[in-house]
Amino acid sequence: MEQTAIVVGAGAGLASAISLARTGWKVTVLERSPELAEVGAGFAMSRNAVAAFRGLGFDDDSVAALGHQTWAGGTWDLHGRPILPLPDTPVVREAVALIGVHRRRLHATLHRQAVDCGVDIVTGAAVTSVEPGEPDGAPAVVADREADLVVGADGMNSAVRAALFPASRPLYSGYSSWRAITPGTFGDDAPVLGAPCRVRHPARRRRPDVLVRVRGHAGAHRSG
């Protein structure tokens, strides 16, 4: 008998959907937005992330098309002082290899793969209730749809988590991240990371300086 799965959330949930579909599951993805239009910033895919991407059935050409191959140069503080600089050697470059990717490009690639794998993606489907079912018994029910498995991939304000664990609440850690994408040229310099900024109280947030550094060149940006 064919096993059915419902994945709630068509962002990162597409990876789960592809993985399940490739192993024989009949998968439906429920997305509350009326259309798939992933936005956001860029991020770096490390070697383990690239290995996971390949595990979803993508070949070398698909990996190369994601973005720019580079490597991690280390971590620096907001004043440009090195915290953990990494040496520029062939061995280190291979160990800390990265691919710079825009979220929209990765999402579009996952979307195409999900469709090719036979995943049914339903947009405009807000999930407000989840019945977990019973092991070896009644199936789970999500938005009036039955499934043997439910994957909650609907983000920080997860409706699945709220329905199954109503007492659970996200807790702000006090750390925030500022990200942006700017036009520029891609060269041989390695990107480096700035140290995380601690926001001690949400009501008294100070605007920290965010360092953007490419090896020998740095510039500070005052976050708004």
Side-chain angles (χ1 to χ4, degrees):
M1 184 176 179
E2 188 175 42
Q3 292 180 301
T4 59
I6 290 179
V7 177
V8 182
L14 290 178
S16 297
I18 294 168
S19 181
L20 289 165
R22 283 169 51 82
T23 54
W25 289 72
K26 179 177 175 57
V27 185
T28 300
V29 176
L30 302 181
E31 169 57 44
R32 66 180 178 179
S33 300
E35 60 183 13
L36 299 186
E38 179 66 37
V39 295
F43 64 97
M45 289 180 65
S46 57
R47 293 180 63 185
N48 57 337
V50 173
F53 184 75
R54 291 180 183 275
L56 297 176
F58 294 99
D59 57 18
D60 291 345
D61 291 340
S62 298
V63 172
L66 284 177
H68 299 293
Q69 293 189 9
T70 182
W71 74 99
T75 305
W76 306 69
D77 69 12
L78 75 167
H79 301 294
R81 296 174 299 210
I83 297 175
L84 181 64
L86 299 179
D88 183 4
T89 67
V91 173
V92 171
R93 281 199 185 197
E94 182 180 1
V96 295
L98 300 171
I99 299 180
V101 183
H102 192 291
R103 285 175 60 90
R104 182 178 296 174
R105 182 182 299 123
L106 176 61
H107 187 263
T109 303
L110 292 173
H111 182 205
R112 289 192 298 270
Q113 183 81 331
V115 172
D116 291 344
C117 288
V119 174
D120 183 20
I121 302 175
V122 182
T123 56
V127 172
T128 57
S129 63
V130 178
E131 298 177 24
E134 298 290 338
D136 300 321
V141 179
V142 182
D144 298 324
R145 298 168 182 261
E146 293 186 349
D148 298 306
L149 172 69
V150 177
V151 178
D154 48 343
M156 181 177 66
N157 299 314
S158 171
V160 174
R161 183 189 62 239
L164 298 180
F165 307 100
S168 176
R169 294 289 186 274
L171 179 64
Y172 177 55
S173 66
Y175 289 94
S176 298
S177 175
W178 282 258
R179 296 183 299 175
I181 298 174
T182 60
T185 58
F186 180 76
D188 294 329
D189 287 338
V192 296
L193 302 177
C197 300
R198 177 73 174 176
V199 181
R200 298 191 178 278
H201 194 285
R204 299 190 299 273
R205 292 183 182 177
R206 298 182 61 188
R207 293 197 239 172
D209 289 322
V210 178
L211 179 73
V212 180
R213 185 180 183 96
V214 181
R215 287 177 64 182
H217 308 281
H221 168 69
R222 179 68 73 177
S223 174

